[in-house]
Amino acid sequence: MNLIAIGGVIGAGLFVGSGVVISNTGPAAIISFSIAGLITLLLMRMLAEMAVARPVVGSFYVYARQALGQRAGFTTGWMYWYFFVIVVAVEAIAGGRIIQLWFPMIPLWILSLGLMLLLSATNMISARSFGEFEYWFSGIKVVAIIAFLALGVLWITGLWPHSTPGLANLIDHGGFTPLGWGAVLAAVVPCVAFYTGAEIITIAAAESEDPQLAVKKAMRSIVVRVVTFYVGSIFVVVTIQTWDAKSVGVSPYAAVLDVMGIPAVATIMNFIVLTRIRE
């Protein structure tokens, strides 16, 4: 259950989409992600309390129906379904494009269709198969984030070969808020979207052996995950690479690894992003 929650939060938005926020905000993107993380934590604490009190299949849309009526539950449930239908299609195409980099002879539509069939079958077989699938893929993302943070600390402290230690990049290129605090607050909206997926744990809770214990354990650690994985990694990005570098807007993590001289940066990041294509 913990890894399902981690896998839900860590997505392509963190590895790729966060670069757009950094480019439109500056180093103060750290603040934007912190505010969005706080909002997510508050929502998840409330949802977790309901999930522990009433572990039901369907989670929040069932609670909406119970508290606000049939229409609210109906609307919430179908909006959530619609969201993931769109996400599945988009991520299948994105995953197909990544695989096509390694197998250019295979048409994109075949790769995308194959991904959709594979992942749909994995989710439809059983909750256990979904849990196992999510467990291993989440593990890859966790290891990648921890390794990235460790390398970042080595660079910032000057322990990495040929590094430029210090926090100068946070203020040397137009200041900490080069585009103003308005941009920082506006960036909270897309940042909240990056945290989408944390709610999956309450949906899966009803099918776990001990829903109350599973949700409690996951919620106790979500604070550490949010601060470390999101805020911590964004801090590493804007500290090592200048926020206005073009490469940051495209793929911030790859930009940092490139500065550090890590070989096969594109292949590494493409593989990590591919592990996110699992809905």
Side-chain angles (χ1 to χ4, degrees):
M1 293 295 290
N2 283 324
L3 280 175
I4 287 177
I6 293 174
V9 174
I10 302 175
L14 174 60
F15 291 113
V16 180
S18 58
V20 178
V21 175
I22 295 174
S23 297
N24 293 332
T25 308
I30 302 170
I31 305 298
S32 300
F33 275 95
S34 298
I35 295 174
L38 176 61
I39 294 172
T40 303
L41 290 174
L42 293 175
L43 289 173
M44 285 303 301
R45 290 291 297 184
M46 299 171 194
L47 182 57
E49 289 185 9
M50 291 185 282
V52 170
R54 295 184 178 183
V56 295
V57 176
S59 186
F60 53 86
Y61 82 80
V62 176
Y63 304 141
R65 181 194 304 143
Q66 294 172 346
L68 303 175
Q70 293 290 339
R71 183 174 298 176
F74 178 86
T75 304
T76 302
W78 279 105
M79 286 181 65
Y80 193 62
W81 175 86
Y82 175 77
F83 166 77
F84 271 107
V85 166
I86 298 300
V87 168
V88 166
V90 171
E91 293 200 346
I93 295 173
R97 289 189 180 277
I98 292 174
I99 297 176
Q100 197 175 42
L101 295 175
W102 303 321
F103 302 97
M105 72 293 297
I106 304 177
L108 177 60
W109 72 270
I110 293 179
L111 295 174
S112 299
L113 179 60
L115 278 176
M116 289 198 64
L117 294 175
L118 173 63
L119 299 178
S120 296
T122 303
N123 281 266
M124 293 175 66
I125 290 174
S126 67
R128 181 177 296 275
S129 67
F130 170 79
E132 287 291 334
F133 196 71
E134 189 74 358
Y135 174 85
W136 291 106
F137 272 34
S138 295
I140 294 173
K141 290 181 284 188
V142 170
V143 170
I145 288 291
I146 293 176
F148 180 82
L149 292 173
L151 293 175
V153 170
L154 292 177
W155 180 279
I156 294 171
T157 56
L159 298 178
W160 187 264
H162 310 294
S163 63
T164 53
L167 307 176
N169 280 337
L170 294 178
I171 56 175
D172 282 355
H173 296 265
F176 186 66
T177 57
L179 302 177
W181 283 102
V184 175
L185 296 177
V188 172
V189 176
C191 287
V192 169
F194 293 155
Y195 289 105
T196 300
E199 76 287 343
I200 291 177
I201 186 173
T202 60
I203 297 175
E207 300 185 58
S208 64
E209 294 181 357
D210 190 342
Q212 294 186 355
L213 181 61
V215 172
K216 286 179 180 178
K217 285 185 176 181
M219 286 310 303
R220 288 194 188 106
S221 61
I222 195 172
V223 175
V224 177
R225 290 197 302 271
V226 168
V227 173
T228 303
F229 292 158
Y230 269 85
V231 180
S233 59
I234 295 301
F235 172 79
V236 169
V237 170
V238 296
T239 301
I240 295 179
Q241 177 64 288
T242 58
W243 69 272
D244 53 354
K246 186 177 180 180
S247 57
V248 169
V250 177
S251 181
Y253 291 74
V256 170
L257 295 177
D258 187 54
V259 170
M260 300 183 72
I262 304 296
V265 170
T267 301
I268 294 173
M269 292 310 303
N270 283 334
F271 177 75
I272 294 173
V273 173
L274 185 62
T275 63
R276 176 65 177 94
I277 316 298
R278 87 282 186 266
E279 272 82 12

